[in-house]
Each structure stands twice: as C-alpha cells, then as structure tokens.
Amino acid sequence: MAEAALLALAWGLSACGLAWLALAMESHWQQVRAVDTAPSPRTVRLLRGLGAAALVASLLACLQADHATMAVLVWVMSISGGALLVAFALAWRPRSLAWLAGPLS
Amino acid sequence: MFATFRLSMAWLHTWFGLVLGYLLMVIFFFGSLSVFDREIDRWAIPQTRFAPQPMPSFDTLLAPIFARMVPEAHELEEARARVGGPLPAELPPLNWGAYTTHRDPVLAMYAEYAVTNNPTDPDDHVHGHITIDPRTGQVLPDDQLKIGSDFFYPLHYSLHLGWKDLGYWVVGFAALVMLAALVSGVVIHRRLFREFFTFRPRKHLQRSTLDLHNLTGVVALPFHFFFALTGLTVFASIYLPVSETMLKPQAQAAAMAEAQGMGLDFKPSGVKAPLASVDAMVREAKRRWAARGMPGEVGYLYVNHVGDRNSYVTLYRAGSDRVTLVGQPIHFDGPSGRVVHEAPPPSLIASVNDFLTGLHLQHFEHWLLRWFYVLGGLTGCACIATGFIFFVEKRKRQHARAGSLGARWADAMAVTAVTGMLLATLSMLVANRLLPADLAQRADWEKGVFWGAWLLAWGHAVARSGPVRQARLSPAWREQCWAAAGFALGAVGLNWATTGDHLLKTLGARYWPVAGMDLVLLVVAGLAATAALTLRRRERAAQPQAAPVLPAEAAHG
C-alpha cells in the first residue's frame, strides 16, 4: 500500500511540475489566469524552479518505490501521462490549474 | 530535390507516415492490448478464471504429463513430407519446457521431439505444446483460442503473415519508418517547446487535429522511440541472421564453447539415465536466489537431453521485480541433481540488451507501469489517427475542387484502420461469447469473424465516403463509432449472460482480469458514443459551408 501511495505521489508531482512549467509560458499563464498580461520575469523564474524541483522530487519518489531500472521507466511515463493531463486541462478547464499559481503575478 | 531540408523531411513524414501509418496503427493498437494479453485470455476462456499459480511440482505433476505429451499432428504431417516417407513409431523427446508468469493461472508446456530418419538434416525435430491447469494437471482443450496471448499479441509483431516470416519483415520495416517519422516529425515541428502543451479543440478541425498530432507525438516521444527501437532489437536475430548464415560455424563453436565453459553438455551421450528430483533442484535454486538478495519463483523450467546421461535442468527466475527479462538461470546436472553452473551477473552489453528486451516484453509485476504502457501505445494510435485526419483535412477541399479521389480513398482507409480495427476486435470478443462452446474449429471461427468484420468495415467505409468528395466529413466515422459502442456494450452483456460473471460479482471478488476487461469495454462504449455525438454535431455544422463546393464538384463530375 505504501508503494501505491508513493507512486500516486510521484505521478501527482510530475503533473504539478509540468503544470508549473506550462504556467511559466505566457500563453498558458494567460489562459489559466484569464488575463492578457504576461507573468513577471521573477514569477517565470520561480515557476520554472518549482516545476523542475517537482520533477526531481517525482523521480526520488519513484526511486523509493521501485528498483532503479523500473523507477526510471515509471518516471518517464509519469511525465508523458502528466503532460497529457496538463494539456487537456488547459484545453477544457484552464481555470482548474489556477491554484498552482497562487498569489503570484 | 527539395528546396530545404525541412521540406524534404516534411515529404518523408507525410508519405511514409500515410502508407506505413495503417500498419503502425495495427502494431501500436494490438501491442497496447498485448500489455494485458493474459487478462484478455481469462475473459475469453471462462474455465481459466482463477488466481495465478506458481510452478507446480515437477516430480509428481509435470513429469507424467510430459511423458504423455505427443507432437502436434500438423507438424508430423510436415515432417513426413520432409523425410519423404513414414516416421518412426515413436519420436524420442529432446527437451521439455514449462513456462509461467505472475499473471498466469494456467501453465504452458512445450516439448521438442527428434525426427531420427531425416537423411538430409540430422537435427530435424518437431514440437508439441499443451496448456494445463496446474492445480489438477488437467489438460485444457487446445481448440480454445487464447485471444490475447495467441492472437492479438502475435498480430502486433507478425501480422499473422507466416509465409517466409514476411510479417516480421513488414513490421520491422514499419518500426524503422516509425523511427524516421519521429525524427522527421521533430524536424518539421516549428514550435516544439512553445506549443508543448498546446491543444485547441475549439479551433477548426485541421488546426485542432494537428495540435493533437503534435501533442501525442511529442509528450510520448521517449515511449514511441524506445518501443520502435526495442521492437527492432527483440527481433534482431531475424533481421540480421548472421549466426544462421555467414557466421554459422563461428556461432556453433561459440555456443559449444559457452556450454563447455558452464560445464554443460552440448550433445546427448546416447546412454540412458534417469532424472534426479527436480523439486529438490527448485528448492536449491530458490535458496540461492534468496542468498543473492533476490528471492523469487521459478518462471521457466527447462530439461535438455531428456532421459540421457548428459541431461541437464535449467531453472530461470520469474522476472517480476526487475525490468530485465527472466534471468539468474541455475543449471543442474540431470542424473545427479547437483548444481553445474550458476550464471554470474551478465556483462554490461548483455545487461543493456536484456534491459531493452525486458522493457519491451514487460514480464515485470507493476500495474501502474503496465497502464502507462497502454497509455503510451494508445497515445501512439491517437498520433497516427490524427495524422491521417490531418492529411485528409489539408487536401480534401483542393481534391474536391480538382475532382480527385485521393482524399476520399485516404479517408476510407483511415476509417478502416481506426474504427474498423476497433470493430474487428470487439466483434471477435462478441463472437467468442456467442459461438457454441463445442463448435468444431471454434478458434478458426473466431479468427474468421475478426477478419470478416474488418473487411465489412472497409466496405462500409468505402461505400459511405462519398461526402469527402464534397469536402465534407464521411458519415462512416460516426456510424462505425455507434457500432463500436453497441458491440462493446454487447460484449459486456454477453459475458454476464454466458458466464454469470457480471461486474458487481467480479468487482466484489476483486477479480481484476475480468472486471478490468468489462470496465474497459464500458469506457470504450462511452468514448465511442461521445465521439459519434460530436461527429454528428460537426457534420451538421459543416453542411452550409460545404454547399458552395457542390457546383464545382458537379462541374468536374
């Protein structure tokens, strides 16, 4: 059961990490915030940092759950699956990602 | 030939993608189903709906069954033709094998028998194979088709084209083209990073299809790349059979030297000797695996030179916790039962090869990764299907004006390759539940329904593709989506009616092979119905726009 929780955490971290990386892009930022202003350079740096950190944390969670060879495959596929989730969320429910941007501007 | 590198790559991507795309669709779709081949088998053969079993006792259960096994009738027929006369009354067994995985309730058993009177080939042999219930040793009827592992799975790498291994070569070529399509796709993609997450479903069809094509191609790029590549390496010995042709003597010598190095006898001695207790060998092997920090069950049991003084037994560990394929083999001397050789950790190159093979063949026990593989494979299907639709969307107005039939044919073939393939698959499941259990050649009927339904879907797609000539959507897409939704629901209902295993029961018992199949079928039905409704809306919305094209179409007649 602990393994299932770790894997769920890993996938969640991958998806959040990719969502932050998407938010760091002007067009997606505007979609999610429903604004037509660009994020500040400081915000972009922060979002990219958060995104990268979440992806690294996801890899660590995968390595905790499985043998290293398997963990790498799970991690790569969790990024593919996460990217699809983020892309579909942006297409149909962009506001559902707003909480990830919090009070940033 | 082309002004720029990008243009030449675009040409390659478009035309090779279109022609080989139909094949790649089959390979990706049935490859995705193969991830759950054992579970599909359980759904299709209700007598085998019980929990996976470990390798049973060889001494008490398997040995007498192996002794009773006989070669396949059709292989004996072929052997008689090779020899040019009758065969000896009894063909001596050369080797025995038994194979199971952590997902198999049933056990597959194989045997090879020497054809001793072939003057031209002293190594001529025939095979026998059976499937048993390892709890009782009862042999299962061999006319029940394992739809997952014996039909969908081989379909994805051989297309069931047995003649001269043609299917393997066609699939290998398609895999090579897949690699080229991925590279050329990355080259011609103008905004790979800027549009990484971009999908605009509300834009016009051509734009949103291209978005989805790019999205599904790019986000699963590592999956697509590694599966096309490892698909090729798995069959490298077929594509580059140097050890059978140019380097045969060297390869033989290497195999002999390897056997000698391990203390194993490459050839039988000709002197009979009984086999020691294999169960004791299994206990010893498990002890040794545990001592190496990787406790496990026996996945593959192999007895070579059966009944000979030089016989040996090899036990492979079931590779359920590693990506790498079955491994850590331990060889035992047959007559004495002592350990002859325990394979050391493999060399770096062998490890990489085992890893790549294992990555593709996925014997591991990891349900999330299995589902991720299905997701990767279906993403590949979506990428190819959107590629077809984009091809047609980009050209259909121009073709309609010019009176060309190109887009119409491309669209009909796309319908056949996408919804037609889904219909063929679902028809086979429906037929599996509808055909009488005691029907002679039942397996052939099921296969016949599969190919027949696909052919009908093609006929329907062609017959209904007329509107594409007027730059409108073909109604075949919508109609086949409705049919797929109906067949998927029908399969779930028939499983309930014929076996009594409805979803509440299988879910309550947490019997995932059948519950999972039924749930997936319900999801397929839901998605197909949603797609059909969306298509109807789009067809209606497109009606007024298509009207001005009509006179032009009529003029070009």
Side-chain angles (χ1 to χ4, degrees):
Chain A
M1 210 53 226
E3 196 189 292
L6 268 174
L7 291 171
L9 177 72
W11 196 9
L13 282 168
S14 282
C16 288
L18 289 160
W20 277 319
L21 291 179
L23 277 167
M25 296 156 88
E26 191 180 321
S27 59
H28 297 312
W29 171 268
Q30 291 170 347
Q31 267 178 296
V32 172
R33 301 295 292 250
V35 291
D36 38 14
T37 52
S40 71
R42 207 184 62 101
T43 301
V44 169
R45 276 198 303 278
L46 186 63
L47 287 168
R48 286 198 183 137
L50 274 171
L55 292 184
V56 171
S58 167
L59 176 61
L60 293 177
C62 287
L63 286 167
Q64 266 307 305
D66 292 302
H67 189 261
T69 53
M70 194 110 78
V72 174
L73 293 185
V74 174
W75 183 62
V76 170
M77 291 311 293
S78 80
I79 291 178
S80 292
L84 281 177
L85 278 181
V86 171
F88 289 145
L90 286 171
W92 284 303
R93 297 275 183 281
R95 302 285 292 158
S96 67
L97 300 179
W99 63 278
L100 285 163
L104 293 173
S105 61
Chain B
M1 186 173 169
F2 292 100
T4 64
F5 178 61
R6 176 170 268 173
L7 278 178
S8 60
M9 285 295 109
W11 183 89
L12 175 95
H13 191 87
T14 305
W15 293 102
F16 276 78
L18 180 73
V19 175
L20 271 301
Y22 302 116
L23 268 174
L24 287 169
M25 191 80 195
V26 173
I27 298 165
F28 267 77
F29 183 69
F30 290 105
S32 307
L33 294 190
S34 301
V35 174
F36 287 110
D37 58 348
R38 300 299 203 282
E39 287 70 19
I40 297 174
D41 290 350
R42 302 292 77 76
W43 194 93
I45 310 176
Q47 296 93 307
T48 63
R49 292 179 183 177
F50 53 89
Q53 306 289 318
M55 185 70 76
S57 159
F58 180 92
D59 298 349
T60 58
L61 192 103
L62 297 183
I65 299 173
F66 272 125
R68 284 200 305 272
M69 266 177 79
V70 289
E72 302 284 313
H74 72 95
E75 288 212 22
L76 287 175
E77 198 68 43
E78 288 157 22
R80 270 185 217 107
R82 285 199 298 273
V83 173
L87 299 175
E90 199 164 327
L91 303 181
L94 291 170
N95 53 56
W96 291 333
Y99 178 70
T100 190
T101 73
H102 64 94
R103 295 188 295 138
D104 271 307
V106 294
L107 180 73
M109 296 169 69
Y110 314 88
E112 273 187 359
Y113 301 88
V115 176
T116 44
N117 63 338
N118 186 336
T120 54
D121 182 6
D123 295 331
D124 196 0
H125 58 267
V126 290
H127 306 87
H129 78 265
I130 55 170
T131 304
I132 64 159
D133 179 342
R135 301 170 305 180
T136 60
Q138 195 194 358
V139 179
L140 298 170
D142 62 356
D143 61 343
Q144 287 175 324
L145 181 64
K146 292 175 185 163
I147 288 182
S149 55
D150 280 346
F151 189 75
F152 293 157
Y153 173 57
L155 180 59
H156 105 280
Y157 61 79
S158 77
L159 308 172
H160 291 298
L161 288 176
W163 182 71
K164 290 199 185 289
D165 289 342
L166 183 65
Y168 293 91
W169 287 93
V170 175
V171 170
F173 181 63
L176 210 57
V177 169
M178 176 83 196
L179 291 174
L182 290 173
V183 174
S184 56
V186 168
V187 171
I188 61 177
H189 193 341
R190 284 167 195 282
R191 290 176 290 265
L192 194 140
F193 288 104
R194 195 149 26 109
E195 293 193 347
F196 190 87
F197 296 104
T198 301
F199 172 44
R200 290 159 288 191
R202 286 175 203 83
K203 294 234 171 175
H204 61 92
L205 188 56
Q206 190 176 329
R207 181 72 247 173
S208 55
T209 319
L210 185 60
D211 277 349
L212 199 55
H213 182 66
N214 289 340
L215 177 70
T216 50
V218 170
V219 300
L221 195 63
F223 177 88
H224 301 328
F225 181 81
F226 270 99
F227 272 74
L229 180 75
T230 53
L232 283 169
T233 60
V234 167
F235 287 122
S237 64
I238 289 185
Y239 301 135
L240 293 171
V242 283
S243 58
E244 292 288 324
T245 53
M246 286 161 68
L247 304 176
K248 188 162 187 179
Q250 288 91 330
Q252 278 263 334
M256 259 166 141
E258 192 184 32
Q260 241 157 28
M262 294 192 291
L264 301 172
D265 293 298
F266 196 66
K267 296 262 179 205
S269 67
V271 180
K272 283 192 185 308
L275 190 61
S277 164
V278 175
D279 290 358
M281 300 179 205
V282 169
R283 279 193 296 276
E284 173 64 13
K286 284 189 188 171
R287 193 191 64 74
R288 285 177 177 242
W289 289 325
R292 281 166 71 175
M294 39 174 77
E297 291 291 326
V298 175
Y300 182 48
L301 181 159
Y302 176 73
V303 185
N304 203 3
H305 310 321
V306 170
D308 191 272
R309 199 183 56 194
N310 283 357
S311 70
Y312 62 87
V313 177
T314 305
L315 299 173
Y316 288 86
R317 181 173 165 276
S320 54
D321 55 348
R322 300 283 200 279
V323 174
T324 296
L325 213 53
V326 281
Q328 297 82 39
I330 303 180
H331 307 274
F332 296 82
D333 179 58
S336 68
R338 66 186 168 78
V339 173
V340 184
H341 187 260
E342 181 173 346
S347 69
L348 183 65
I349 291 175
S351 311
V352 170
N353 187 41
D354 288 351
F355 178 78
L356 290 178
T357 310
L359 182 153
H360 199 118
L361 299 187
Q362 39 174 313
H363 291 184
F364 46 73
E365 185 167 5
H366 197 298
W367 298 104
L368 178 66
L369 190 51
R370 273 182 190 281
W371 279 106
F372 273 149
Y373 273 19
V374 174
L375 179 74
L378 294 181
T379 307
C381 290
C383 184
I384 301 161
T386 47
F388 292 148
I389 298 172
F390 178 71
F391 180 96
V392 173
E393 284 303 310
K394 197 173 168 185
R395 286 163 184 77
K396 70 180 185 187
R397 280 172 198 84
Q398 195 192 340
H399 284 197
R401 275 194 297 277
S404 154
L405 288 177
R408 179 181 176 177
W409 276 104
D411 192 66
M413 290 301 289
V415 172
T416 314
V418 181
T419 50
M421 178 170 64
L422 183 61
L423 272 179
T425 308
L426 294 169
S427 308
M428 191 178 200
L429 296 178
V430 169
N432 168 274
R433 292 292 83 230
L434 273 185
L435 291 170
D438 52 356
L439 180 71
Q441 261 94 47
R442 193 173 194 271
D444 292 338
W445 279 96
E446 287 173 15
K447 292 178 194 171
V449 166
F450 176 85
W451 297 114
W454 208 342
L455 199 64
L456 279 177
W458 175 76
H460 172 251
V462 173
R464 299 287 281 151
S465 63
V468 181
R469 292 186 67 183
Q470 298 150 23
R472 284 190 285 133
L473 276 177
S474 166
W477 287 103
R478 174 174 44 85
E479 289 158 0
Q480 296 203 4
C481 279
W482 280 126
F487 279 35
L489 280 181
V492 176
L494 284 168
N495 177 45
W496 179 3
T498 54
T499 67
D501 290 346
H502 55 79
L503 257 175
L504 289 181
K505 184 172 154 193
T506 49
L507 279 176
R510 289 168 180 263
Y511 189 60
W512 291 111
V514 172
M517 265 292 275
D518 278 347
L519 285 174
V520 168
L521 285 166
L522 291 179
V523 170
V524 168
L527 287 176
T530 312
L533 289 172
T534 311
L535 282 164
R536 192 181 61 175
R537 217 175 46 236
R538 292 236 178 189
E539 277 173 53
R540 284 186 179 162
Q543 293 275 4
Q545 288 166 14
V549 185
L550 275 170
E553 213 268 336
H556 286 282

